Amino acid sequence: MTRKTTLRLAAAAACLLSASAWANDKAVVSAAFKSVFYLPVYFAEEHGYFKDEGLDVRIDVASSSTNALAAVISKSADFSLHGPEWTAISFGRGAPVKVVGGTLNRLGVWLTCKSSFTFDGFKSLKGAKISTGAMPTTSTSAFLKLVKNAGLDPKKDLDLLEVPLGNEVGPLSSGQADCAVLYEPGASQAEAQGFKVVSAFSREIGPYTFSAISTRQDIEPAVSRKFVSGIDRALKAIHKDPEAAVKSGLKLFPNLDPAVVRASVLRLINDGVFADSVALPPQSLNDALQTQVDLGNLKAIPTDPKWLDLGWSNEIAKKTY
């Protein structure tokens, strides 16, 4: 082998090593549903925020919160987006999972009623027929909490009609219910049909971790930092430029009425459902988990600190772009 050949081979090897050193990390995120609630992760991917951090992200849709977290536990995904209570439940059962940041720090649930229905606080629902999602689901759990806080007994004072998730508008549209407890885009779809949004749970309940970023205990800290950074930048961009968020939503849901998509995205921004950053306020998380404990969905709030790893999110939340 000549000296020139040796030099060429050495240079090629150096180039390969250099390319490998600069290659992006890869991660898969599993979202509970293809929902406007998870717009921040799609927004971050669309605008290249993950790539800017040196991370290639693939977004999968799991069809439920438990399936999304199961994908993380089985290592078919690296991160999942859903309510923190599912992570708390799985951690309590021995699963090596943790929460590393927040995405939705207020409840994205709205009470929508017939235009003829007079709503004057939750006490005024006594005797009403209410369409809700079948339990267990956060929307119904939160609704029951508000009803009880108003001094009503849900079993005695209300006529609850539990339906499969995503079908809550049906009984309202058909006249079978006076009101419906809705996620988005359900609330905006109902509004487009002439019904009225009478209560935003984000304002009724205040800070509440509705969705968080979960991962496994063994995920590389650098990968976690990159993913959390991309989400943080997306959240801040959504608040800074709502029209850009609407455009992203229209791309994500091309088959929905554009007016409904617009109303849905803006409602999530204006009602404070999209978090300002990935920071996860302790009181917000505690209130969310305590609600699940009170309703019997969670035995107790985990006390083992290993289930929370908020160092990166607290640091990154301070950044400006």
Side-chain angles (χ1 to χ4, degrees):
M1 185 180 292
T2 66
R3 184 172 184 275
K4 286 185 178 180
T5 301
T6 303
L7 289 173
R8 281 199 300 268
L9 289 173
C15 287
L16 286 172
L17 287 171
S18 176
S20 176
W22 288 101
N24 282 359
D25 287 318
K26 298 182 184 298
V28 176
V29 55
S30 183
F33 305 96
K34 186 178 181 181
S35 164
V36 68
F37 289 125
Y38 303 119
L39 183 63
V41 72
Y42 291 99
F43 191 96
E45 195 277 333
E46 177 189 346
H47 289 80
Y49 296 161
F50 294 126
K51 287 189 182 296
D52 288 347
E53 296 292 334
L55 186 66
D56 291 330
V57 170
R58 189 185 84 213
I59 305 169
D60 290 346
V61 178
S63 79
S64 73
S65 298
T66 51
N67 286 345
L69 187 58
V72 170
I73 295 170
S74 68
K75 298 190 177 183
S76 58
D78 304 294
F79 300 93
S80 57
L81 301 175
H82 46 72
E85 64 272 14
W86 301 108
T87 310
I89 290 169
S90 293
F91 180 83
R93 293 173 178 170
V97 291
K98 60 183 178 180
V99 168
V100 294
T103 59
L104 307 175
N105 275 341
R106 283 181 182 262
L107 273 172
V109 184
W110 292 266
L111 181 65
T112 307
C113 299
K114 298 186 296 186
S115 58
S116 60
F117 187 86
T118 301
F119 179 80
D120 184 21
F122 283 81
K123 274 192 175 182
S124 63
L125 294 177
K126 187 172 184 178
K129 293 183 178 180
I130 313 293
S131 171
T132 68
M135 287 287 277
T137 181
T138 302
S139 59
T140 303
S141 298
F143 174 69
L144 295 176
K145 178 179 180 178
L146 289 168
V147 165
K148 291 176 181 177
N149 288 347
L152 299 182
D153 183 333
K155 294 182 180 179
K156 296 179 180 178
D157 297 324
L158 300 178
D159 185 357
L160 293 178
L161 179 59
E162 289 194 14
V163 298
L165 283 177
N167 295 283
E168 298 93 331
V169 177
L172 190 62
S173 301
S174 65
Q176 293 177 281
D178 299 303
C179 303
V181 179
L182 303 172
Y183 291 121
E184 280 291 2
S188 293
Q189 289 173 325
E191 201 170 45
Q193 295 176 33
F195 299 105
K196 59 184 181 181
V197 174
V198 299
S199 174
F201 289 17
S202 61
R203 303 186 187 281
E204 298 283 356
I205 293 179
Y208 182 109
T209 303
F210 187 37
S211 179
I213 305 166
S214 295
T215 189
R216 288 188 309 280
Q217 299 281 346
D218 64 356
I219 286 291
E220 287 290 333
V223 173
S224 183
R225 177 189 60 77
K226 291 175 181 181
F227 184 75
V228 171
S229 291
I231 296 290
D232 183 73
R233 188 173 172 187
L235 288 168
K236 289 170 180 172
I238 285 170
H239 283 284
K240 186 176 182 179
D241 189 355
E243 283 303 314
V246 169
K247 288 180 182 178
S248 187
L250 292 171
K251 290 179 184 177
L252 187 59
F253 301 105
N255 297 323
L256 281 181
D257 180 348
V260 168
V261 175
R262 168 176 288 275
S264 182
V265 172
L266 294 179
R267 196 187 309 277
L268 289 170
I269 295 171
N270 295 333
D271 284 353
V273 179
F274 286 138
D276 294 326
S277 73
V278 288
L280 211 167
Q283 191 60 48
S284 172
L285 178 61
N286 187 75
D287 287 354
L289 296 179
Q290 188 59 51
T291 295
Q292 300 302 324
V293 171
D294 294 343
L295 291 167
N297 300 329
L298 177 65
K299 288 184 179 180
I301 297 175
T303 56
D304 188 332
K306 288 183 181 178
W307 96 282
L308 283 179
D309 185 2
L310 303 178
W312 285 127
S313 61
N314 289 335
E315 179 181 323
I316 291 165
K318 300 172 185 176
K319 293 176 66 176
T320 56
Y321 303 92

